[in-house]
Amino acid sequence: KMYEFFNQIPPIFFALIACFFRASLCAEGLVNEDVKRTLDLSSHLAKITAEIQLANHGASRVSGFTLALEAELAPHLAFIGASVKGEEEEDESLELKETTVHGQSGKFFEAQLPSSLAPGAKLRVKVETVFSHMLKPFPTHITQAERQLVVFQGNHYLYSPYPTRSQTTRVRLASKTVESYTKLGNPTKSDETVEYGPFKDVPPFSQDAMKIHYENNTPFITISSVTRTIEVSHWGNIAVEETIDLRHTGAFLKGPFSRYDYQRQSDSGISSVKSFKTILPASAQDVYYRDEIGNISTSHLQVLDDSVEVEIRPRFPLFGGWKTHYIIGYNLPSYEYLYNLGDQYALKIRLVDHVYDDQVIDQLTVKLILPEGARNIHVDTPYPITRSQDELHYTYLDTFGRPVLVATKNNLVEQHIQDVVVHYTFNKILMLQEPLLVVGLFYILFFTVIIYVRLDFSITKDPAAEVRMKVASITEQVLTLVNKRLGLYRHMDEVVNRYKQTRDTGALNSGRKTLEAEHRTLSNDISALQARLKAEGSDLAEKVGEIQKLDNQLKDLVCRSCQEAERLVAGKVKKDAYIDSDKTLSGKRQELVSRIDSLLDAL
Amino acid sequence: KAYLLCLSGGLTQPAGWQSLLSFTILFLAWLAGFSSRLFAVIRFESIIHEFDPWFNYRSTHHLTTNGFYEFLNWFDERAWYPLGRIVGGTVYPGLMMTAGLIHYILNLLHVTVHIRDVCVFLAPVFSGLTAISTFLLTRELWNQGAGLLAACFIAIVPGYISRSVAGSFDNEGIAIFALQFTYYLWVKSVKTGSVFWAIGCCLSYFYMVSAWGGYVFIINLIPLHVFVLLLMQRFSRRLYIAYSTFYIVGLVLSMQIPFVGFQPIRTSEHMAAAGVFALLQAYAFLQYLKDRLTRQEFQTLFFLGVSLAAGGVFLTVIYLTYTGEFLFATFNTKPSLPPMLRYAKIHIPIIASVSEHQPTTWVSFFFDLHILVCTFPAGLWFCIKNINDERVFVALYAISAVYFAGVMVRLMLTLTPVVCMLSAIAFSSVFEHYLGDDMKRENPGSVKQHPFYPVKNISVYSKPIVTMLMLMLLMMFAVHCTWVTSNAYSSPSVVLASYNHDGSRNILDDFREAYYWLRQNTDEHARVMSWWDYGYQIAGMANRTTLVDNNTWNNSHIALVGKAMSSNESAAYEIMKSLDVDYVLIIFGGVIGYSGDDINKFLWMVRIAEGEHPKDIRESDYFTPQGEFRVDKAGSPTLLNCLMYKMSYYRFGEMQLDFRTPPGFDRTRNAEIGNKDIRLKHLEEAFTSEHWLVRIYRVKKQENRQALDHKFRNIAAKQKFTSKKVLPSRFH
C-alpha cells in the first residue's frame, strides 16, 4: 500500500503538478453519484471514510480526480488514503499528491487513477481520513465523579469539488448519551449511531456545520512526543528503545482526586486511564519498562504466538491533564530484520510501532543507529519524513562512532505503522575490530604488568635488598645443584642394580666414571657458589658447607655400596651378608639425605 | 641473573605460588563481597536506597551534568525553602567526586553507563578495595595468612555490608576503604619512617576527609597512637618523621575541603592532634639536648621548659576561647564523636529521634559480627602479648572503636574492620598451630618453635578436632553473614514487598508512584511540605522544592514544619501560607500496616515543635489523661483535630478493610480511629497512592476576597432610566 503525505514535499513541485492537471481537472464532468460517509467518533480520533461512486459525465476520458478537505479540518489531518474498489474485492490504493484549487479554501489532493475513466463509466472509490484532536472536551474541566463529554464539529456533506447526486452520513458515537446534535434533514438516532440523509443533489464545495455533543469516556491519551531509538548490531541483536511522553488530553480534572472513591466506585474517574496494551513484535526479548526513578513495577508481559503484549500501567492513573513519561525497550534478533548480500545490507524495520490502540503521536523522532563503519546509507521511507543532520553515537568499544540517522515527523496515527528500509554497505572485516581491540588492550595491560614487575624503577639503591636478592638467587642455584647431585646418586643406584643383573663390569665402570666427573663439576660449582655467598656476607655459606660435608659422606656411602655390589658379583660376599650391609648403608644414606633436605629447607 | 631465574619458572618457587594464591583469594574475596551485596538489585532493581543516598545521587547527577565547578558553587534553591542550601560548601564531596570520576572515565572509554548504575554499584566495588586494604594492614600487623583471612571477613561481615549494599550510595561506602587504607599507610610509614609512605598516608587521609565526617576518628586515633608510643618509651626517628609529615601535610590537605575549612585548627576535636604534634617536637628536642647537656643542666632546663610551655598553651587557649576563635563544643547534628552526642541527645530531640543514633544492644553486636565478636579479644591479646609499634596502634584502634560502637549503633561501622583484623589474627594463629605440616614437626631439625604454643603439647587427636571446629565456626559465620545480608540489609526501603501465602510477591511501589506524580503533574516550582525524613527523596525523585530535608541543619525550620503538622488546620494554614506551601505530603501506613509512618513519628514532631514553640505546642496535650498516645475515640482531642491526624485519616473513616473490623480500622495501630468525620477547609486531597501509603494534599489558594454577608439594598425606582449609550464592546 502506498500512502502519501505532502507537507514535506517542496511546494513548487505541487504547483507544477497542479498546472499540469488543471486542464483535465476543471473541465471534466465528474459527478459523485452515490456517497456513503461514515464518521467514526467512538474513540478519541475522528475517522471519516467515504465510499464514493464516481461517474464520468463528461465527454473525454478522465485520468484522475480531486479529493478535498474542509479548511477547518485540514490542520487536524493525520492520515489520508484513497483506494479504488476493484471487482474482485481487491482494493487498489491510489497515489495522492497535494494540489490547490483556485478560489477554494481547504486542502486538496490529486488522485491518479490506474486506468483512465471513459465517458459514462463509473468507479467506486474509498477515501479514508483520520483526524486527531478533533474531539474537544466540553466542559473542559470535570470532577472525578463526572463523565466526559466531547463536541465534534464537522460537515454534514461530503466536501468535494464535484456535484453529489445522493449521499448519506452515518455517525458512530462512543455512547448512547448524546447531549445534542444538529438536526439537518431530520436524522435518525438509534443507540450509538446517528444517520443523516439521504441528501440529494448537493452542489460542489457544500458545507453545513454538523455539531455533536456526546459522552465519550474512551481513553483520550496522546503521545506528545516519542523518541524511538533503534540500534543495530551485527552480532545478532537489534535494540529498540522508546522514550514516551504521554498526556491525557481529555477534560481536565477539577478539584480533588479521591483514592477512596476511585477504589470503591466503579464509575468514579471513568474517563481516566489506568492501563493500556502495547503490542511488541513476537520476537521481542528482555523487555524493560522504566522511567527516571527506576522500574515501573506495575506492568505485565504476555507472550503470545504472534506478538508480545505488554500491559503498560503508568505509576498512577492518568486523569485529564495529567501526564507521565516512560521508557520501554526490548531486543530483537537481527536475522528477522537485517538482510544482506555480501557487504550490502538492508534493514527493514517499523518506523513507528504500536503503543496503544487508536494511538496519536504528536511528535516522533526516530534514531537509527547503524554499526560502526556503515557506508553508502540510503533510506526508503514509506511516507515522507523530515531527515535531520546525521549524528555520531559512541558506545562500547567504538572508536570512530556509529552513524545515526535522525528523522522527525508530526501527527502520526496507527496507519503509519509501516516499515522503513535502510540500505548500507558494511565491510565484514570491521566485525573483527572490536574483539581485536579487546585483545590488544589485554595485551598492553599484561605487557605493562610484566615490564613493571621485571624492571627496577627505583631511583635509589637499597644495598640490603640487593644483597638479599643476590643471596636468594645463589641459594636457588645451590638448591638446584644439590638436587641434581642427589639425582646422580639415584642414577648410580640404578646402574648398580642393572650391574647386579647383567654383571657387565664395563657399564658399571663407565657409570662410576661419569658419576665421578659430574659429581666433581657439581661440587665445584656448589663450592664456587658457597664462596660467593661468603663474599656477600651471608650466614647461609656455613650451611652450604655443612651440606658439602654431608655430601662427601653420602658419596662415600654410594661408592661403598658400589664396591659391595662388585664384591657380591665377584662372589666375595654371601648374599645374606650383602643384603645386611646394603641395608645399613642405605639406612645411613637415608639419614644423610634427610639431613641434607632439612638443611636445604632451612636455606 | 636473578631476573632470568624468575622468568624461567615463576611457579616453581614457593613465593610464586604464594603470590598467586593470595591474588586469587583476594580476587575471590572481592567477588564474594561484591556479589553478596547484590541481593537488593536482584530482588528489586538497580535503584538508590533509602534517604541520604538520594541526596548523594542527586548531587552526583548535578556534578556529572554541570561539571565540577558548578557543583562546588551549587546553591540548591530546591531545598530548605525559602532559605536554600549551599550544597558545594556543606557536603563531603568525596563520594560524588569518586562516582563522577568513574562515570567520566567510563564515558571517555565509550562505556555508556548511566550515572545511576555507577552510584548503585560504587559501594560494592569499594568493598573489594576495603578488603584489599584490610589485607595490607593486617599483613603489616601480623602476617600474610591473617591478612587474607581478614580480607575474607571484611568482605562479607554484615556490620560493613549494612552500609555498603548495592544502592546504598552513602559516604560510609567509600569511607571505610579510605579509613583502612590510611591506617595501612600510617602503619607502613611508622614502620619504615619514610616520608614517601607518610605522604601517601596524607593523601589517603585527604581522600577520607573529603568523603566522610568520620575522618575525625583518624585525626584522633593517630595522635593517640603517637602519644601512647611516647608513653611506652618507643619514640624513634621513624615515628617522628611519620607523624610530623602526616600532621603538617594532612592538616593543610584537610583544610582544602570547603566543608571542613578552618575546623582543623579551630575546633576541639582536632586539638589532640596539634597537642601531640607539639609534644612530639618537644620530646625530640629534649632528646637532642640530652645528648649535648649534662644531666643536671638537662633537668633544670626540662622543668623550666615544661612549665613555660604549659603556661603558654593554657593562656593561648583561654585567649582564643575568649575571643571566639576557638570553638570548644562544636557539633553538627550528626556528630561523630560520642561525648558531643551525649550532650546532643539530651538537649536536641531531633538527634534522639534518629534510630541509628541509639546505643547499641548486645544482640546487634552479635547480629553484625557473629563469631568475630567472640574471637577478636583473642586477637587483641595476641597483639598485646607480642607488642610492637604497629600492634599498639591496632590495640588502640580496637579499644576506641569498641567504645564508640557501644555508644551509637551507627558507629558499629568503625568497629567492624578492626574486629575483622583481630579475629583474623586469632584464627590465623590457631590454624598455624593446628594445621601445620605433620612431617616437618616430626623432623626435629626443621621445627621452629611457635611463639605461643610449645609444639609438643598438641596431641594427635586434638588437631583434627580443633581444625574441624574452627572450620565449622567459619562456615556458620559465612551462613550467618549471608542470611543477615539477605534479610536485614537488602531492602531498598523505597520499594516495599509483601509475600502472599503461595510465596508470590507483591510489590508496593507507593512511594515512587506518589513522587512521580509530583514530578509529572505539579508545577515545576511547587513547594512540598513534608516531615524532614522524606525531604531528600522528594528532591531526588519528585524534583520539587522541599521545606526541610534530611540534612537537619536548621532546627527551627524543622520545628516550624512540626508545628504546622501538630496544629489545628486553621493555625497550620497560617504557617503554610507564610511558608508558601503548595502541597503537603504525608506517609500513612494504616491501610497496609506500615509501621514507619508519620503518625508513629508524630510525637517527635510534637517534641521538636515544642522545643521551639513551647507556648503553642505542648507534648502533654497529645496524650490521654492516662498518658497514652491513642488515635481512637479515647485519644486526646488536640491529637484528633491536628493537621497530621486529619490528613492521615481523611476519608479513612469510610473505608472498611475487611469484614472483621469496623470501618476506619487502622492496621498499624490496631485501633478504630476516633475522628471519622474529617472535613478539610484549606486543603484538598490531591493524590493518594494505591495503598494509601503516601497522601498528598493541595493547599488551596486564598480566594480573591472573602464574601461579605450582606443583603442587596432595595431602592424604589422612581423612574426608569435607560442609557442611550452603547457599552464598549469589550464588556459584552
Side-chain angles (χ1 to χ4, degrees):
Chain A
K1 271 194 173 182
M2 287 298 292
Y3 298 89
E4 284 294 346
F5 290 84
F6 301 92
N7 25 0
Q8 319 299 349
I9 294 178
I12 184 82
F13 187 59
F14 297 124
L16 280 174
I17 292 173
C19 292
F20 183 73
F21 285 110
R22 178 108 344 134
S24 63
L25 256 185
C26 307
E28 69 194 282
L30 281 176
V31 170
N32 300 322
E33 286 272 324
D34 183 34
V35 176
K36 283 203 184 91
R37 278 176 87 216
T38 314
L39 272 66
D40 184 355
L41 308 179
S42 59
S43 66
H44 67 135
L45 297 172
K47 299 178 197 163
I48 303 177
T49 34
E51 279 180 40
I52 305 167
Q53 193 170 40
L54 269 179
N56 186 0
H57 289 195
S60 59
R61 296 179 75 87
V62 177
S63 60
F65 63 98
T66 306
L67 295 172
L69 288 178
E70 296 86 341
E72 299 80 52
L73 264 62
H76 295 288
L77 178 73
F79 167 83
I80 182 167
S83 57
V84 177
K85 283 221 158 200
E87 280 104 53
E88 303 96 34
E89 293 298 308
E90 217 176 278
D91 292 1
E92 195 178 348
S93 66
L94 300 174
E95 208 174 310
L96 296 179
K97 292 202 171 77
E98 191 164 344
T99 177
T100 50
V101 172
H102 195 66
Q104 292 294 339
S105 64
K107 210 167 189 173
F108 301 93
F109 295 95
E110 173 67 32
Q112 187 72 18
L113 287 173
S115 56
S116 59
L117 199 61
K122 285 177 184 176
L123 183 72
R124 291 193 73 81
V125 179
K126 191 178 174 189
V127 181
E128 206 183 344
T129 46
V130 180
F131 300 90
S132 61
H133 303 300
M134 273 294 292
L135 306 181
K136 303 275 189 249
F138 188 83
T140 53
H141 290 69
I142 55 171
T143 63
Q144 190 182 340
E146 284 171 340
R147 282 146 187 277
Q148 181 170 269
L149 299 170
V150 296
V151 175
F152 171 78
Q153 280 180 303
N155 189 356
H156 281 114
Y157 304 120
L158 174 75
Y159 192 64
S160 171
Y162 314 115
T164 306
R165 287 277 147 79
S166 159
Q167 82 166 55
T168 55
T169 301
R170 166 195 281 256
V171 185
R172 276 189 55 210
L173 302 174
S175 68
K176 286 181 204 172
T177 323
V178 179
E179 291 282 306
S180 68
Y181 57 99
T182 44
K183 305 263 166 46
L184 182 76
N186 209 8
T188 52
K189 178 186 171 297
S190 61
D191 285 353
E192 294 172 8
T193 53
V194 181
E195 283 190 54
Y196 290 93
F199 305 115
K200 300 280 182 197
D201 293 320
V202 183
F205 299 115
S206 296
Q207 257 184 297
D208 187 90
M210 172 200 272
K211 186 173 176 184
I212 302 178
H213 188 196
Y214 67 105
E215 184 185 323
N216 187 347
N217 290 312
T218 52
F220 265 58
I221 40 178
T222 305
I223 300 168
S224 35
S225 80
V226 53
T227 306
R228 184 172 155 91
T229 311
I230 301 162
E231 190 173 346
V232 183
S233 160
H234 279 184
W235 295 95
N237 188 54
I238 296 176
V240 182
E241 183 175 283
E242 287 172 353
T243 310
I244 293 175
D245 279 307
L246 209 64
R247 180 184 275 284
H248 191 297
T249 42
F252 283 83
L253 176 70
K254 182 170 71 180
F257 159 63
S258 166
R259 179 65 75 170
Y260 178 78
D261 290 340
Y262 194 65
Q263 282 173 338
R264 294 295 140 133
Q265 292 161 27
S266 59
D267 60 344
S268 173
I270 195 166
S271 62
S272 70
V273 179
K274 227 181 204 160
S275 68
F276 51 86
K277 273 198 178 114
T278 296
I279 299 170
L280 307 180
S283 51
Q285 281 178 327
D286 319 324
V287 183
Y288 57 90
Y289 169 48
R290 54 179 305 140
D291 57 29
E292 296 102 312
I293 59 173
N295 265 354
I296 304 172
S297 51
T298 43
S299 60
H300 295 284
L301 188 81
Q302 198 180 2
V303 181
L304 303 176
D305 287 342
D306 55 345
S307 64
V308 174
E309 264 185 19
V310 194
E311 192 204 336
I312 298 270
R313 219 177 119 194
R315 290 190 188 276
F316 42 84
L318 285 174
F319 276 85
W322 290 10
K323 62 184 169 61
T324 192
H325 170 95
Y326 68 88
I327 296 166
I328 186 166
Y330 49 91
N331 289 330
L332 298 170
S334 64
Y335 64 83
E336 289 189 13
Y337 301 91
L338 192 63
Y339 306 89
N340 77 313
L341 183 71
D343 281 351
Q344 296 286 325
Y345 283 83
L347 173 76
K348 192 174 178 215
I349 198 160
R350 282 178 174 179
L351 197 58
V352 55
D353 211 336
H354 181 271
V355 180
Y356 58 92
D357 293 336
D358 294 320
Q359 65 189 21
V360 177
I361 298 171
D362 282 351
Q363 195 193 16
L364 164 80
T365 309
V366 179
K367 289 188 174 179
L368 260 162
I369 304 172
L370 297 177
E372 203 177 38
R375 286 171 296 115
N376 307 332
I377 301 158
H378 169 73
V379 187
D380 278 343
T381 53
Y383 35 83
I385 184 160
T386 325
R387 282 277 295 276
S388 314
Q389 187 70 41
D390 284 2
E391 293 168 5
L392 279 178
H393 174 79
Y394 295 93
T395 181
Y396 303 97
L397 301 173
D398 282 349
T399 42
F400 52 90
R402 307 178 176 213
V404 185
L405 313 180
V406 186
T408 53
K409 182 162 174 59
N410 293 338
N411 207 359
L412 289 93
V413 288
E414 234 167 25
Q415 278 80 355
H416 291 95
I417 302 178
Q418 288 177 61
D419 286 338
V420 62
V421 183
V422 183
H423 300 274
Y424 60 91
T425 48
F426 178 82
N427 194 343
K428 278 190 182 139
I429 293 291
L430 285 172
M431 296 269 287
L432 287 176
Q433 183 193 337
E434 290 172 8
L436 283 179
L437 208 66
V438 176
V439 170
L441 274 177
F442 272 102
Y443 183 79
I444 290 171
L445 177 74
F446 289 141
F447 196 73
T448 347
V449 170
I450 288 168
I451 297 265
Y452 176 76
V453 170
R454 301 293 159 191
L455 297 186
D456 185 4
F457 290 101
S458 62
I459 52 173
T460 54
K461 276 192 178 170
D462 184 356
E466 222 151 273
V467 166
R468 222 177 302 131
M469 257 157 65
K470 251 183 207 168
V471 168
S473 93
I474 293 168
T475 28
E476 191 71 23
Q477 290 176 58
V478 170
L479 273 177
T480 38
L481 290 175
V482 169
N483 279 326
K484 232 181 198 173
R485 203 163 59 182
L486 292 177
L488 283 179
Y489 302 145
R490 275 195 294 278
H491 181 71
M492 193 59 210
D493 282 351
E494 278 170 31
V495 173
V496 169
N497 280 338
R498 218 177 299 134
Y499 165 71
K500 277 190 282 185
Q501 285 160 6
T502 59
R503 302 175 178 238
D504 182 358
T505 327
L508 178 69
N509 283 333
S510 70
R512 205 184 299 173
K513 252 179 212 162
T514 49
L515 169 72
E516 286 289 342
E518 284 185 29
H519 183 264
R520 197 174 304 125
T521 49
L522 283 176
S523 295
N524 285 343
D525 284 353
I526 293 172
S527 303
L529 289 174
Q530 186 191 354
R532 274 176 64 193
L533 275 179
K534 211 169 218 168
E536 296 294 345
S538 168
D539 54 347
L540 293 176
E542 289 164 27
K543 283 192 174 159
V544 176
E546 212 169 310
I547 290 174
Q548 293 285 69
K549 250 182 241 163
L550 291 172
D551 182 71
N552 277 336
Q553 296 174 23
L554 189 61
K555 204 205 147 208
D556 287 348
L557 288 176
V558 173
C559 290
R560 267 182 63 194
S561 70
C562 191
Q563 285 161 6
E564 289 288 312
E566 259 178 326
R567 285 171 67 190
L568 174 73
V569 170
K572 285 178 187 159
V573 264
K574 293 247 172 73
K575 205 170 185 183
D576 293 349
Y578 172 74
I579 288 170
D580 276 354
S581 68
D582 197 43
K583 220 178 208 171
T584 48
L585 277 177
S586 62
K588 273 182 190 169
R589 268 178 68 181
Q590 204 64 52
E591 198 199 318
L592 281 172
V593 167
S594 67
R595 275 174 70 187
I596 289 175
D597 274 346
S598 69
L599 276 171
L600 285 181
D601 280 350
L603 275 183
Chain B
K1 204 165 182 191
Y3 301 130
L4 275 177
L5 231 144
C6 290
L7 273 175
S8 69
L11 291 186
T12 54
Q13 308 163 35
W17 275 110
Q18 208 174 28
S19 54
L20 181 71
L21 209 61
S22 337
F23 184 80
T24 318
I25 289 172
L26 283 179
F27 178 74
L28 285 177
W30 189 326
L31 204 69
F34 183 81
S35 339
S36 70
R37 283 165 171 81
L38 298 186
F39 276 109
V41 171
I42 290 162
R43 283 200 196 132
F44 295 95
E45 58 185 282
S46 165
I47 187 183
I48 305 289
H49 290 190
E50 298 196 320
F51 306 103
D52 286 15
W54 274 101
F55 166 75
N56 297 330
Y57 170 61
R58 184 162 161 258
S59 5
T60 313
H61 197 270
H62 189 88
L63 169 71
T64 48
T65 42
N66 298 309
F68 177 59
Y69 288 103
E70 271 301 309
F71 171 68
L72 278 188
N73 294 326
W74 184 21
F75 179 82
D76 184 7
E77 76 285 354
R78 299 222 149 173
W80 292 95
Y81 183 85
L83 307 167
R85 176 183 177 187
I86 308 159
V87 176
T90 57
V91 289
Y92 291 103
L95 181 73
M96 297 96 191
M97 301 291 300
T98 310
L101 190 73
I102 292 173
H103 180 251
Y104 176 76
I105 290 172
L106 287 179
N107 272 293
L108 216 61
L109 298 171
H110 300 322
V111 179
T112 44
V113 181
H114 194 271
I115 182 67
R116 182 193 56 244
D117 293 323
V118 176
C119 293
V120 165
F121 292 104
L122 189 76
V125 168
F126 265 75
S127 74
L129 293 176
T130 310
I132 287 171
S133 51
T134 305
F135 161 74
L136 293 171
L137 180 55
T138 320
R139 193 178 62 177
E140 291 305 319
L141 294 171
W142 202 256
N143 59 22
Q144 185 134 351
L148 290 173
L149 262 178
C152 297
F153 286 159
I154 192 102
I156 58 168
V157 70
Y160 175 42
I161 283 190
S162 67
R163 293 294 173 151
S164 62
V165 289
S168 162
F169 180 54
D170 215 341
N171 294 329
E172 290 93 329
I174 61 167
I176 295 301
F177 156 69
L179 184 84
Q180 288 292 88
F181 200 61
T182 311
Y183 286 158
Y184 160 66
L185 291 169
W186 166 248
V187 164
K188 195 86 188 168
S189 49
V190 168
K191 265 175 124 175
T192 57
S194 95
V195 177
F196 171 75
W197 288 108
I199 294 285
C201 180
C202 294
L203 290 175
S204 176
Y205 172 65
F206 174 56
Y207 184 61
M208 176 72 186
V209 176
S210 77
W212 194 34
Y215 77 89
V216 179
F217 184 41
I218 298 184
I219 201 63
N220 283 290
L221 184 59
I222 287 180
L224 183 68
H225 179 214
V226 175
F227 185 65
V228 171
L229 285 182
L230 287 187
L231 287 186
M232 291 171 75
Q233 301 279 314
R234 280 173 171 272
F235 174 80
S236 63
R237 247 187 133 81
R238 292 175 284 115
L239 186 68
Y240 180 77
I241 292 170
Y243 188 68
S244 303
T245 318
F246 169 76
Y247 181 68
I248 297 294
V249 181
L251 182 78
V252 172
L253 284 176
S254 68
M255 284 164 70
Q256 306 309 309
I257 304 296
F259 189 31
V260 175
F262 280 92
Q263 277 184 46
I265 51 170
R266 289 183 64 191
T267 60
S268 57
E269 311 165 341
H270 301 79
M271 281 308 125
V276 169
F277 178 68
L279 187 70
L280 193 69
Q281 302 307 321
Y283 195 97
F285 183 64
L286 288 177
Q287 290 275 332
Y288 174 77
L289 285 184
K290 214 173 175 179
D291 296 343
R292 271 141 223 269
L293 297 176
T294 63
R295 206 177 160 73
Q296 193 58 46
E297 281 174 324
F298 179 70
Q299 269 185 358
T300 331
L301 198 73
F302 180 75
F303 282 113
L304 201 71
V306 165
S307 38
L308 268 178
V313 167
F314 184 67
L315 287 176
T316 323
V317 168
I318 285 188
Y319 172 74
L320 287 178
T321 314
Y322 183 70
T323 53
E325 283 291 313
F326 177 71
L327 311 170
F328 236 104
T330 50
F331 51 84
N332 58 9
T333 52
K334 280 187 178 177
S336 12
L337 282 182
M340 282 150 209
L341 183 79
R342 198 162 293 147
Y343 168 85
K345 232 186 224 173
I346 298 163
H347 297 278
I348 305 176
I350 198 164
I351 290 176
S353 76
V354 178
S355 62
E356 62 181 25
H357 292 164
Q358 304 303 320
T360 319
T361 57
W362 279 110
V363 179
S364 72
F365 272 107
F366 187 75
F367 192 69
D368 277 359
L369 302 168
H370 194 243
I371 192 69
L372 303 187
V373 81
C374 312
T375 51
F376 95 96
L380 188 62
W381 183 74
F382 284 145
C383 282
I384 290 173
K385 193 92 202 252
N386 224 26
I387 203 88
N388 60 18
D389 286 0
E390 59 268 21
R391 287 175 194 165
V392 171
F393 177 76
V394 79
L396 292 171
Y397 183 4
I399 292 161
S400 52
V402 166
Y403 168 66
F404 291 156
V407 175
M408 180 154 90
V409 181
R410 212 160 82 91
L411 292 177
M412 191 68 143
L413 190 63
T414 50
L415 175 66
T416 307
V418 70
V419 163
C420 288
M421 296 191 306
L422 290 176
S423 296
I425 288 172
F427 272 103
S428 164
S429 307
V430 172
F431 279 133
E432 234 166 58
H433 185 59
Y434 284 97
L435 261 184
D437 192 350
D438 281 336
M439 284 294 289
K440 288 214 172 148
R441 291 201 191 286
E442 279 158 25
N443 198 333
S446 66
V447 165
K448 286 177 211 158
Q449 286 281 316
H450 197 275
F452 307 122
Y453 307 101
V455 173
K456 54 196 165 198
N457 284 357
I458 311 173
S459 83
V460 186
Y461 304 109
S462 71
K463 237 179 208 190
I465 291 174
V466 170
T467 312
M468 288 289 283
L469 221 90
M470 288 287 148
L471 285 179
M472 251 171 71
L473 281 180
L474 289 183
M475 237 149 73
M476 275 159 63
F477 170 69
V479 170
H480 173 84
C481 288
T482 320
W483 179 80
V484 169
T485 311
S486 154
N487 287 297
Y489 296 134
S490 294
S491 161
S493 86
V494 174
V495 189
L496 307 173
S498 70
Y499 293 90
N500 298 335
H501 295 298
D502 59 346
S504 63
R505 192 175 62 158
N506 278 330
I507 286 192
L508 308 180
D509 216 351
D510 283 40
F511 288 108
R512 284 194 291 178
E513 178 186 349
Y515 292 142
Y516 205 62
W517 181 84
L518 272 177
R519 188 187 186 107
Q520 291 291 334
N521 295 306
T522 57
D523 181 73
E524 208 203 325
H525 298 289
R527 290 155 293 259
V528 183
M529 181 171 93
S530 73
W531 190 233
W532 62 265
D533 298 24
Y534 315 106
Y536 279 162
Q537 288 189 347
I538 293 172
M541 287 193 257
N543 196 17
R544 290 294 173 265
T545 308
T546 56
L547 271 68
V548 289
D549 64 30
N550 309 47
N551 173 36
T552 49
W553 63 275
N554 188 331
N555 193 40
S556 63
H557 211 52
I558 293 177
L560 203 56
V561 171
K563 187 183 171 190
M565 296 290 193
S566 39
S567 310
N568 62 48
E569 196 190 345
S570 44
Y573 185 59
E574 292 305 315
I575 299 172
M576 293 192 290
K577 254 191 341 193
S578 68
L579 289 172
D580 286 347
V581 175
D582 293 315
Y583 293 91
V584 188
L585 179 145
I586 56 155
I587 306 296
F588 171 61
V591 174
I592 54 163
Y594 175 73
S595 58
D597 68 351
D598 277 349
I599 292 280
N600 278 1
K601 290 176 187 169
F602 185 56
L603 279 180
W604 288 111
M605 302 183 204
V606 174
R607 272 171 213 156
I608 291 164
E610 189 185 8
E612 295 276 328
H613 309 278
K615 283 183 188 163
D616 305 313
I617 306 291
R618 271 174 305 276
E619 192 183 344
S620 55
D621 292 347
Y622 296 84
F623 290 114
T624 58
Q626 289 78 37
E628 291 170 294
F629 180 73
R630 302 178 67 146
V631 294
D632 56 9
K633 280 209 179 73
S636 97
T638 320
L639 173 68
L640 263 53
N641 287 299
C642 73
L643 185 70
M644 175 55 77
Y645 189 93
K646 278 178 139 183
M647 287 193 299
S648 292
Y649 293 121
Y650 179 65
R651 300 207 70 184
F652 184 68
E654 300 164 48
M655 182 141 172
Q656 188 162 21
L657 289 165
D658 55 41
F659 295 108
R660 281 163 294 173
T661 54
F665 186 80
D666 183 334
R667 279 186 181 164
T668 307
R669 285 154 284 271
N670 283 323
E672 186 184 351
I673 58 167
N675 183 359
K676 287 189 184 174
D677 184 30
I678 294 172
R679 283 166 212 281
L680 294 170
K681 193 179 166 205
H682 302 290
L683 298 171
E684 66 177 8
E685 190 179 4
F687 188 80
T688 297
S689 65
E690 197 181 346
H691 304 97
W692 292 49
L693 204 50
V694 186
R695 307 197 72 179
I696 302 171
Y697 289 85
R698 191 183 294 115
V699 181
K700 286 184 192 163
K701 294 282 163 252
Q702 272 184 310
E703 283 166 30
N704 281 345
R705 184 183 284 169
Q706 293 205 326
L708 290 173
D709 192 26
H710 68 280
K711 283 180 201 158
F712 286 103
R713 265 197 308 173
N714 272 327
I715 299 165
K718 279 175 187 159
Q719 64 176 82
K720 263 193 171 170
F721 172 77
T722 319
S723 171
K724 295 277 187 290
K725 280 184 194 164
V726 176
L727 284 168
S729 63
R730 65 193 149 97
F731 289 123
H732 275 305

